[in-house]
Amino acid sequence: MSDTAPGAPLKRFIFTSECVSEGHPDKLCDQVSDAVLDACLRDDPYAKVACETSTKTGMVMVFGEITTAAHPDFQKVVREAIKDIGFDDSSKGFDYKTCNVMVCIEQQSPDIAGGVHIGRSDEDIGAGDQGHMFGYATDETPECMPLTHVLAARLCQRLSEARRNGTCPWLRPDAKTQVTIEYENDHGAMIPKRVHTIVISTQHSEDVTNDFIRKELIDKIIKPTIPSELLDDKVIYHLNPSGRFVIGGPQGDAGTTGRKIIIDTYGGWGAHGGGAFSGKDPSKVDRSAAYLCRWIAKSLVSAKLCKRVLVQVSYSIGIAKPLSVFVNSYGTGIKSDEELLKIVNNNFDMRPGIIMRDLNLRRPIYKKTAVFGHFGRSDPDFEWEKPKKLTL
């Protein structure tokens, strides 16, 4: 098929992914929600947690449904999470010591508990809600993640490191990055060719100029992070393009849990079922089944059964087995998608209780997932990133 034939895909194209830092108000809320979850799981691995967070100037509110034998000090948990992010002084627009923390927590509905997990073994635990979840993997990076997403996240990680270790003491916690890459489509496989555009907008102290910020970002953030072979003299840089960014965090924008679900996953590649992760214990398939789908997708790509793959599962509340399982290898498989689907069904038990067991999800490991992405990271606690040896 020629490049211009009807239905022909783009042979060469550009694609963009973004990331936000710990101090972005939505990400602050994700981290607070997962800090509350971890505090409950630390003393009660079977805690049922659905914790949302919202924030604005000088205020954080946590609200939702929690049923647990643990007795966390919610005020302390919330303030410690904000302190860890770096909002420790009013000059930064937010201070963990003086902000108002509101706690509006009730217990899980007994109707839900009775229909999902009460009196059931792990094998029979039903899904905590209906929904459909996706997983994605690609061989374009060692992490089996899209390079646009990987580099956007690494830029945010580098900004955080430079702020914390004193390399760039003028940096403040709130920041956003965006990376556009030129790709070649090789019969469904994605081949990154070069970086096309980099955008960084970062909160900063009042005493630095825009020219100084631009030079520091290029020399101390971008060059140490982006592989040199991907950078050429045609790369477009938009560095703090709006000008001054002194007012940031919740003072600049309101934040709420679950509003950065694409950053949390694959940077716009693959697909997303719409359910957020943070603040949800692993009985909620929005979280645990999305981790399962990533595990499946990465296992298929790591086994070199395909170069790129999308996996979907769906559930009904109270029902253990998934309603549907879908696999799409974008034409890159060494086997048919029908054969890949059989391999998936033969190697993975997709019941919620078994997912929690196989991925060891009843541990307090979630706060660190809430920033820089849930996937493509080498943390030993992230069992879903360890490919399973498949029986073919």
Side-chain angles (χ1 to χ4, degrees):
M1 181 185 290
S2 72
D3 293 349
T4 57
L10 289 169
K11 181 66 175 174
R12 207 169 178 106
F13 63 94
I14 55 177
F15 196 91
T16 300
S17 298
E18 69 163 348
C19 190
V20 298
S21 68
E22 311 104 306
H24 185 283
D26 292 332
K27 267 289 147 222
L28 181 153
C29 292
D30 286 344
Q31 291 164 91
V32 168
S33 290
D34 272 339
V36 170
L37 171 60
D38 283 352
C40 294
L41 292 176
R42 199 165 285 117
D43 294 326
D44 179 8
Y46 290 84
K48 297 296 179 284
V49 179
C51 178
E52 310 296 335
T53 303
S54 288
T55 184
K56 186 50 189 160
T57 306
M59 181 278 291
V60 175
M61 177 173 66
V62 293
F63 55 102
E65 300 78 43
I66 297 178
T67 302
T68 179
H71 301 281
D73 182 340
F74 291 117
Q75 289 272 342
K76 181 179 180 182
V77 170
V78 171
R79 293 185 193 279
E80 282 295 316
I82 297 168
K83 178 183 178 182
D84 290 346
I85 290 168
F87 283 123
D88 53 11
D89 190 273
S90 58
S91 66
K92 299 177 183 178
F94 209 76
D95 187 346
Y96 76 95
K97 301 184 293 294
T98 60
C99 66
N100 181 29
V101 176
M102 301 170 60
V103 179
C104 305
I105 300 293
E106 299 178 3
Q107 290 203 336
Q108 182 187 51
S109 162
D111 291 349
I112 295 176
V116 171
H117 61 85
I118 296 295
R120 300 196 189 190
S121 66
D122 271 2
E123 290 78 7
D124 295 327
I125 291 173
D129 200 353
Q130 72 176 48
H132 46 98
M133 303 83 203
F134 290 90
Y136 180 79
T138 168
D139 69 354
E140 67 198 72
T141 63
E143 301 92 337
C144 294
M145 289 289 286
L147 186 61
T148 51
H149 174 84
V150 168
L151 294 184
R154 283 184 186 169
L155 286 172
C156 270
Q157 288 172 307
R158 177 64 182 169
L159 285 166
S160 178
E161 292 165 2
R163 171 172 61 88
R164 294 175 184 275
N165 66 22
T167 300
C168 298
W170 53 272
L171 285 169
R172 295 294 179 261
D174 191 359
K176 303 181 78 170
T177 63
Q178 189 168 281
V179 176
T180 300
I181 288 178
E182 187 175 329
Y183 278 91
E184 181 180 310
N185 183 342
D186 183 13
H187 301 93
M190 298 294 100
I191 313 297
K193 306 304 289 187
R194 59 180 291 272
V195 169
H196 180 278
T197 303
I198 295 174
V199 181
I200 300 179
S201 294
T202 181
Q203 186 187 10
H204 57 84
S205 60
E206 193 145 13
D207 58 347
V208 290
T209 66
N210 290 351
D211 288 342
F212 174 84
I213 291 170
R214 179 182 175 85
K215 185 176 188 309
E216 289 269 292
L217 290 177
I218 290 176
D219 293 343
K220 297 181 180 179
I221 305 299
I222 295 172
K223 287 184 177 178
T225 302
I226 307 296
S228 58
E229 63 270 20
L230 295 175
L231 296 175
D232 57 32
D233 57 6
K234 297 179 182 177
V235 176
I236 300 166
Y237 298 96
H238 296 296
L239 306 178
N240 274 30
S242 69
R244 307 296 284 167
F245 187 179
V246 175
I247 298 171
Q251 186 181 15
D253 288 292
T256 295
T257 302
R259 295 205 300 199
K260 290 292 174 281
I261 58 175
I262 300 303
I263 288 167
D264 283 342
T265 52
Y266 308 104
W269 294 87
H272 200 295
F277 300 156
S278 290
K280 296 177 181 176
D281 75 83
S283 72
K284 279 71 170 173
V285 284
D286 271 346
R287 184 168 217 157
S288 56
Y291 290 1
L292 166 74
C293 288
R294 165 61 179 171
W295 190 32
I296 294 171
K298 188 171 184 180
S299 297
L300 291 172
V301 170
S302 296
K304 300 191 183 305
L305 293 171
C306 51
K307 292 179 176 294
R308 188 164 73 108
V309 68
L310 179 71
V311 177
Q312 187 208 48
V313 297
S314 68
Y315 293 87
S316 168
I317 187 169
I319 307 299
K321 291 187 177 181
L323 309 184
S324 63
V325 183
F326 169 80
V327 173
N328 178 8
S329 67
Y330 302 96
T332 68
I334 64 169
K335 296 178 180 290
S336 69
D337 285 356
E338 184 175 348
E339 290 174 296
L340 293 179
L341 182 58
K342 288 179 181 177
I343 291 170
V344 169
N345 284 322
N346 290 337
N347 281 271
F348 295 92
D349 191 328
M350 304 177 210
R351 292 174 290 174
I354 307 304
I355 299 171
M356 288 188 275
R357 183 195 70 190
D358 289 351
L359 295 179
N360 199 8
L361 294 179
R362 290 192 173 107
R363 297 169 294 151
I365 60 171
Y366 295 103
K367 180 172 176 286
K368 57 187 174 182
T369 69
V371 66
F372 308 133
H374 294 243
F375 306 132
R377 295 166 61 186
S378 59
D379 191 297
D381 285 332
F382 297 177
E383 295 291 334
W384 54 92
E385 288 299 319
K386 302 172 185 177
K388 185 175 185 177
K389 186 175 177 57
L390 301 176
T391 301
L392 306 181

